[in-house]
């Protein structure tokens, strides 16, 4: 399958980051802007209360579902923003590892942020994404 997303790397930038620093999509790509994926069960309850990794995994599950509804998958994601309700860098890293592992070699540009609070009761993680799809 032909993909719209091209990841861009630069030898002039540090290779410490576990993601590409930029990505592009051609002018004929359909962009898909996803709302922040939350760790919510179908009944609206918060999954994995108190568990950063568990909530990141549920966010990814919900993100995959939203992508599929738009005719896309993780390989079509062009960028992410991962929000973690914590002031502790260790908590951010726990959530990031789950996200990073899910994307594998498709290491899209991403921003990892510690925030004070998220929108749902007991919510610790939220993942925003943009995807680009070439429709046949």
């Amino acid at each position: 399958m032909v993909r719209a997303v091209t990841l861009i790397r630069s030898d002039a930038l540090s290779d410490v980051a576990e993601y590409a620093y930029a990505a592009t999509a051609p002018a004929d790509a359909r962009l898909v802007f996803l709302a922040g994926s939350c760790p919510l069960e179908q009944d609206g309850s918060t999954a994995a209360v108190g568990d950063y990794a568990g909530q990141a995994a549920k966010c990814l599950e919900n993100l995959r579902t939203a992508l599929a509804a738009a005719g896309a998958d993780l390989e079509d994601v062009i960028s992410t923003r991962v929000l973690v309700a914590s002031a502790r860098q260790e908590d951010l890293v726990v959530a990031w590892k789950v996200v990073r592992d899910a994307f594998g070699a498709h290491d899209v540009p991403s921003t990892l942020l510690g925030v004070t609070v998220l929108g749902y009761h007991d919510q610790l993680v939220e993942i925003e994404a943009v995807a680009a799809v070439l429709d046949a």
Side-chain angles (χ1 to χ4, degrees), residues 37-132:
S37 178
C38 300
L40 298 179
E41 300 290 357
Q42 193 169 7
D43 68 3
S45 63
T46 302
V49 173
D51 179 2
Y52 289 94
Q55 286 201 5
K58 183 62 178 176
C59 288
L60 285 161
E61 177 185 326
N62 291 341
L63 180 67
R64 284 183 179 102
T65 300
L67 284 165
D73 62 32
L74 287 183
E75 291 283 316
D76 297 309
V77 171
I78 195 166
S79 68
T80 66
R81 181 176 296 122
V82 180
L83 303 121
V84 181
S86 178
R88 294 173 16 101
Q89 187 178 31
E90 299 83 15
D91 297 333
L92 277 69
V93 171
V94 167
W96 171 249
K97 181 168 176 19
V98 175
V99 174
R100 177 67 189 90
D101 289 350
F103 278 88
H106 186 66
D107 55 347
V108 299
S110 189
T111 300
L112 176 64
L113 299 167
V115 299
T116 56
V117 67
L118 291 166
Y120 293 99
H121 186 67
D122 293 323
Q123 182 182 1
L124 300 173
V125 180
E126 187 163 330
I127 303 170
E128 294 179 22
V130 176

